[in-house]
């Protein structure tokens, strides 16, 4: 293999990441940027926004496919070209991304999520939407905001979850802000408390089911690993 770049001394710096090499750094950063802007959650939200604004199904489908498929291919191409500068045996594949990059990826998702939530908030503020519908939706939104806020606080308290919690702060801020804005926009003095309760109960029940499924899957995986050992 012909070396096209000068690698760090293997005696002191054996495992190498594209961020360590000026020649590979730009391509790796481009791959991360494309991946952050075309991830599945971002593609889904952008497609939903396009569908809401265009009122047809063709545009959102094309947008989703273009972002998710071509975005993934482009991100993979840039990333692979960056890793090509490093021999396979010396590649540091397990190194985490810089925290600022993780925060940037979360900020991209939070920005698109914020746009989608704003569309929902102002659509449900129209006079043709009954108070019970707004109340039920707000109940679910309030529980969702409490869940993401509680998860962030719990993650920040635990050293093992602090990195993930910090990366998720932009999304948490968007959800909480949208919930507060929804209450301010939707309700003057008329709130259907029973519908708020049922909306909150529905979301809470869904969260419990998802949490139970994740816990069961985690225990099953742990048991399988223990049995294999």
């Amino acid at each position: 293999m012909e070396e096209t770049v000068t690698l760090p001394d293997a005696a002191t710096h054996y495992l190498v990441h594209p961020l360590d090499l000026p020649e590979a750094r730009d391509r790796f950063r481009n791959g991360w940027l494309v991946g952050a802007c075309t991830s599945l959650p971002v593609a889904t939200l952008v497609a939903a926004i396009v569908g809401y604004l265009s009122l047809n199904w063709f545009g959102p489908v094309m947008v989703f496919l273009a972002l998710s498929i071509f975005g993934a291919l482009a991100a993979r191409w840039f990333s692979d070209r960056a890793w090509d500068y490093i021999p396979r045996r010396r590649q540091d594949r397990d190194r985490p991304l810089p925290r600022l990059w993780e925060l940037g990826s979360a900020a991209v998702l939070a920005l698109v999520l914020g746009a989608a939530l704003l569309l929902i908030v102002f659509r449900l503020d129209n006079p043709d939407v009954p108070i019970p519908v707004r109340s039920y939706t707000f109940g679910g939104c309030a529980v969702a905001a409490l869940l993401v806020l509680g998860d962030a606080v719990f993650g920040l308290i635990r050293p093992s979850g602090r990195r993930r919690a910090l990366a998720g702060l932009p999304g948490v801020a968007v959800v909480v802000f949208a919930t507060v804005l929804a209450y301010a926009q939707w309700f003057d003095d008329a709130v259907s408390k029973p519908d708020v309760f049922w909306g909150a109960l529905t979301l809470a029940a869904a969260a419990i089911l998802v949490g139970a499924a994740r816990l069961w899957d985690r225990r099953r995986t742990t048991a399988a690993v223990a049995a294999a050992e």
Side-chain angles (χ1 to χ4, degrees):
M1 179 180 296
E2 181 182 355
E3 291 192 6
T4 60
V5 298
T6 302
L7 297 176
D9 185 2
T12 58
H13 192 159
Y14 185 75
L15 293 179
V16 183
H17 192 276
L19 293 179
D20 298 331
L21 305 176
E23 297 85 352
R25 191 176 299 133
D26 286 344
R27 290 189 176 184
F28 188 81
R29 182 169 52 242
N30 291 340
W32 162 79
L33 184 60
V34 172
C37 294
T38 60
S39 65
L40 280 178
V42 171
T44 302
L45 288 170
V46 172
I49 293 172
V50 171
Y52 175 82
L53 296 177
S54 63
L55 299 179
N56 66 72
W57 61 269
F58 182 77
V61 171
M62 291 298 100
V63 168
F64 176 79
L65 292 177
L67 288 176
S68 59
I69 296 177
F70 293 112
L73 290 175
R76 181 64 180 269
W77 186 88
F78 279 116
S79 179
D80 287 348
R81 298 297 76 74
W83 284 106
D84 285 344
Y85 284 97
I86 307 170
R88 187 175 300 275
R89 66 181 183 278
R90 296 193 60 183
Q91 293 179 356
D92 190 1
R93 293 276 183 173
D94 295 329
R95 184 187 301 185
L97 292 175
R99 291 192 177 185
L100 190 60
W101 287 32
E102 293 180 349
L103 191 61
S105 297
V108 171
L109 177 58
L111 181 64
V112 182
L113 175 62
L117 291 178
L118 284 178
L119 288 177
I120 294 173
V121 168
F122 289 111
R123 172 63 186 91
L124 294 183
D125 190 37
N126 290 344
D128 62 328
V129 179
I131 290 294
V133 173
R134 296 178 189 171
S135 301
Y136 183 89
T137 304
F138 178 77
C141 291
V143 171
L146 289 175
L147 287 174
V148 297
L149 185 60
D151 182 65
V153 171
F154 186 66
L156 291 173
I157 293 174
R158 294 186 308 157
S160 59
R162 193 166 297 158
R163 187 184 185 96
R164 178 186 62 84
L166 287 172
L169 286 181
V172 174
V174 165
V175 172
V176 172
F177 173 77
T179 303
V180 174
L181 179 64
Y183 184 84
Q185 288 289 127
W186 294 349
F187 308 113
D188 294 327
D189 53 2
V191 180
S192 177
K193 293 182 180 179
D195 290 303
V196 171
F197 170 77
W198 286 113
L201 184 63
T202 301
L203 203 289
I208 291 173
L209 289 176
V210 171
R214 288 181 176 178
L215 180 62
W216 177 82
D217 184 66
R218 189 181 301 117
R219 289 184 175 179
R220 181 176 62 85
T221 303
T222 302
V225 172
E229 293 176 351

